[in-house]
């Protein structure tokens, strides 16, 4: 049974930082590209960042480029999202997801992902 469990969300002031973690189990983690998505109230789930299974390639949404960093530790079956310079518009539930992909591929479309976590709330106050 595949499980993706996010943690690290919370309430932070604008300009602050948070580090999200996603622990995976029940799958060969090092074979999966990993992604982070977010969903704000009343909006569709949107792509945030992705990292290839090799960790050699990353990709970011324009809205977070330069502020967020995705990384992974295949020995710990964990993917991270370091979020700096947070803005109120970053407020959302953040989800991690896993996708079978090629060596450098960083999936950006929701339908490409096979497994999803339950999400963690991030709230940025102004």
């Amino acid at each position: 049974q595949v499980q993706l469990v996010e943690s690290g969300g919370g309430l932070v002031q604008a300009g602050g930082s948070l580090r999200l973690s996603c622990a995976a189990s029940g799958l060969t983690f090092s074979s999966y590209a990993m992604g982070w998505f977010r969903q704000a109230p009343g909006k569709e789930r949107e792509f945030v960042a992705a990292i290839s299974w090799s960790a050699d390639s990353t990709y970011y949404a324009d809205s977070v480029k330069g502020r967020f960093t995705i990384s992974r530790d295949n020995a710990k079956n964990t993917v991270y999202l370091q979020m700096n310079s947070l803005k109120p518009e970053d407020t959302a539930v953040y989800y991690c997801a896993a996708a079978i992909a090629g060596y450098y591929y960083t999936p950006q479309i929701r339908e490409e992902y096979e497994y999803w976590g339950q999400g963690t709330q991030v709230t940025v106050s102004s």
Side-chain angles (χ1 to χ4, degrees):
Q1 180 183 358
V2 175
Q3 282 193 314
L4 302 179
V5 180
E6 301 96 337
S7 61
L11 174 64
V12 64
Q13 287 189 332
S17 298
L18 282 174
R19 188 195 196 202
L20 304 184
S21 299
C22 172
S25 60
L27 76 171
T28 305
F29 182 73
S30 58
S31 297
Y32 283 78
M34 299 297 295
W36 286 96
F37 288 73
R38 66 187 181 186
Q39 188 166 18
K43 295 188 176 181
E44 292 193 354
R45 194 170 299 189
E46 65 174 3
F47 170 79
V48 174
I51 186 167
S52 62
W53 67 258
S54 65
D56 284 343
S57 180
T58 58
Y59 193 86
Y60 298 91
D62 288 343
S63 59
V64 306
K65 202 172 294 182
R67 300 188 298 122
F68 291 11
T69 302
I70 188 171
S71 62
R72 66 190 295 161
D73 185 337
N74 286 348
K76 295 183 178 179
N77 286 3
T78 301
V79 62
Y80 305 97
L81 186 68
Q82 177 67 44
M83 305 186 296
N84 299 329
S85 303
L86 282 161
K87 305 175 181 180
E89 50 263 45
D90 294 318
T91 295
V93 177
Y94 283 71
Y95 299 88
C96 72
I100 287 287
Y103 188 85
Y104 289 112
Y105 191 51
T106 51
Q108 296 136 46
I109 300 172
R110 194 171 59 186
E111 288 76 12
E112 296 182 278
Y113 285 85
E114 183 175 0
Y115 300 110
W116 292 83
Q118 293 300 306
T120 186
Q121 176 70 46
V122 171
T123 303
V124 184
S125 63
S126 56

